[in-house]
Amino acid sequence: MKIARITVYQITLPLEHPYRLSGGRLLFEKLDSTIVKIQTNEDAVGWGEACPWGSTYLPAFGKGVRAGIEEIAPQLIGQDPCKLDVINRVMDRALPAHPYVKSALDIACWDILGKTTGFALCDLLGGRRDEPVGLHSSIPTGTPDEMVKSVDAARAKGYRVHSCKVGGSDVYADIKRIKILTDKFGQCDELTFDANRAWLSDEAIQVMNATASFSAYFEQPCETFDECLTVRRLTRQPMILDECIHIFQDVVRAHQEHACQVISIKLNRLGGLTKARRIRDFCVTMGLRTIIEDTGGSVLADTAAVHLAQSTPITHHRATWLCHDMITVDIAPGQGARNTAGVTAAPFEPGIGVEPDVQVLGEPVAIFGG
Ligand code: MG
């Protein structure tokens, strides 16, 4: 089987509510998503999605995805989509680095592998676990009152794990936010305080040590791996690394240096399911817990990530975020992994189990191949 055609769609995904990260420095109202359809000479069809969380969150942006696909797609025409490691080597040769460009293509090839073999992706990725996939909410930063309201709204949808965004320039305001949220929800729910790299190490150390008696995880306190490592060595709460993890070697180093207890595996940041699965397997082997999700997107991107989570031992999986639960456009109504009272499950259909409605996607922005 060979890849015969790659069709690229662009879709704007409006957020239900404007979203602020880390002390209000980044505001998001909509996401620029790229969806690819790969067709083979045997009429198999696979779908994938790449949706950076805006252009200011990571070194990734929507137009960059499509520009990168323009470089890579011609090299994939004629390749067997079921040979995922070969596909990834071809992509890495065509365009070194730029993992966020490759995730939609990689995911679409996995979709074809599943449909061709008759397996749901979670079964190809290691096997469906019995337990459902636990979800966490994403709570934008704001005043303590605003954040309490957001957590209450998430609780009404069933969420019991919350990723609360903190990290302003005022250390004492952050300590207050964390104290109020922990007092109110710390006994009944699980809390993560995610600074999205907004703190310098001295600020992170002050905030974390002032809240050391609270039961909470802290995520990506500072910009770089080394700054986070400094914080790790001078604090005691469980720490999650997210934005500074780009390649497999970063996770190996995190393990060797005891830099964190949890790795956030985001498909788009890492380049798709092939590379995310390798990191997941390393984490499970080495005793690191995981968060498994995508950087953003519709139910298509979310469901691909849920398949990886569904095949990860529950002991090594903290939570998964469903971006589409915050988006007002639905590209595949009734399909894919949805929030059911704070948990979800990977579909049982072969492949990803999401077939986007092409009427919603609109006209393609690029077509490669015949
Ligand atoms: Mg994060």
Side-chain angles (χ1 to χ4, degrees):
M1 183 159 54
K2 293 185 187 325
I3 294 175
R5 175 183 283 203
I6 299 174
T7 307
V8 182
Y9 300 88
Q10 187 277 333
I11 184 163
T12 300
L13 303 175
L15 291 165
E16 202 173 358
H17 304 289
Y19 189 101
R20 281 191 186 278
L21 270 187
S22 48
R25 72 187 166 128
L26 304 175
L27 175 68
F28 301 87
E29 293 180 343
K30 57 185 191 289
L31 301 175
D32 176 353
S33 185
T34 302
I35 291 180
V36 302
K37 177 186 183 187
I38 295 183
Q39 291 165 278
T40 73
N41 61 338
E42 296 175 16
D43 293 329
V45 174
W47 292 94
E49 179 174 12
C51 182
W53 184 249
S55 56
T56 49
Y57 170 60
L58 284 168
F61 64 113
K63 286 178 191 159
V65 172
R66 296 184 289 280
I69 287 175
E70 205 176 313
E71 296 294 318
I72 293 170
Q75 310 293 321
L76 291 180
I77 302 297
Q79 296 289 333
D80 184 340
C82 296
K83 296 181 177 173
L84 267 304
D85 285 351
V86 176
I87 289 286
N88 274 268
R89 285 200 291 274
V90 169
M91 292 201 289
D92 287 342
R93 199 168 55 229
L95 184 67
H98 295 82
Y100 74 102
V101 162
K102 300 163 187 169
S103 66
L105 296 164
D106 174 79
I107 291 166
C109 289
W110 274 95
D111 193 26
I112 292 174
L113 177 63
K115 288 168 175 168
T116 304
T117 56
F119 286 101
L121 277 203
C122 59
D123 286 325
L124 291 175
L125 292 164
R128 180 184 296 271
R129 75 181 191 214
D130 293 335
E131 306 88 353
V133 171
L135 299 175
H136 61 167
S137 67
S138 183
I139 305 299
T141 195
T143 64
D145 276 357
E146 288 167 344
M147 295 184 77
V148 165
K149 275 193 191 118
S150 294
V151 174
D152 279 334
R155 298 189 92 243
K157 293 168 90 172
Y159 291 98
R160 290 294 180 271
V161 185
H162 309 283
S163 177
C164 306
K165 308 306 173 187
V166 294
S169 53
D170 181 347
V171 164
Y172 299 100
D174 273 330
I175 293 169
K176 191 173 167 193
R177 278 189 193 100
I178 291 165
K179 182 165 178 13
I180 288 172
L181 289 166
T182 308
D183 282 350
K184 186 147 175 62
F185 302 109
Q187 296 296 314
C188 50
D189 291 4
E190 286 186 52
L191 298 174
T192 299
F193 294 103
D194 186 355
N196 291 111
R197 15 186 251 284
W199 287 322
L200 293 180
S201 60
D202 59 337
E203 294 169 319
I205 290 162
Q206 280 189 79
V207 173
M208 290 176 69
N209 286 340
T211 58
S213 62
F214 303 162
S215 174
Y217 285 61
F218 281 78
E219 182 167 336
Q220 194 71 39
C222 304
E223 182 75 36
T224 66
F225 187 103
D226 287 313
E227 289 168 285
C228 291
L229 189 56
T230 299
V231 174
R232 170 65 308 167
R233 288 177 176 161
L234 295 169
T235 56
R236 51 186 280 195
Q237 294 96 324
M239 193 186 288
I240 303 165
L241 289 183
D242 184 351
E243 291 102 301
C244 69
I245 301 294
H246 298 280
I247 56 176
F248 188 93
Q249 287 85 339
D250 293 331
V251 187
V252 174
R253 187 182 168 209
H255 169 69
Q256 285 173 335
E257 305 228 35
H258 308 288
C260 64
Q261 286 63 50
V262 185
I263 296 285
S264 171
I265 296 174
K266 286 189 166 76
L267 304 191
N268 189 248
R269 169 163 47 71
L270 299 169
L273 278 166
T274 301
K275 289 172 180 172
R277 179 188 59 163
R278 290 176 193 157
I279 289 172
R280 185 278 310 268
D281 289 345
F282 179 84
C283 289
V284 170
T285 305
M286 294 303 182
L288 288 163
R289 202 179 297 275
T290 60
I291 290 169
I292 300 175
E293 58 204 16
D294 215 330
T295 49
S298 74
V299 70
L300 177 60
D302 286 340
T303 305
V306 167
H307 277 287
L308 187 62
Q310 187 81 65
S311 61
T312 302
I314 194 166
T315 46
H316 292 69
H317 177 234
R318 177 164 164 80
T320 288
W321 168 61
L322 296 181
C323 180
H324 78 263
D325 211 17
M326 301 167 62
I327 298 284
T328 58
V329 169
D330 195 342
I331 68 159
Q335 300 178 48
R338 304 281 172 167
N339 170 25
T340 310
V343 297
T344 192
F348 285 84
E349 292 95 339
I352 297 173
V354 175
E355 297 294 318
D357 180 345
V358 288
Q359 302 291 332
V360 179
L361 299 184
E363 290 299 311
V365 295
I367 297 174
F368 303 91

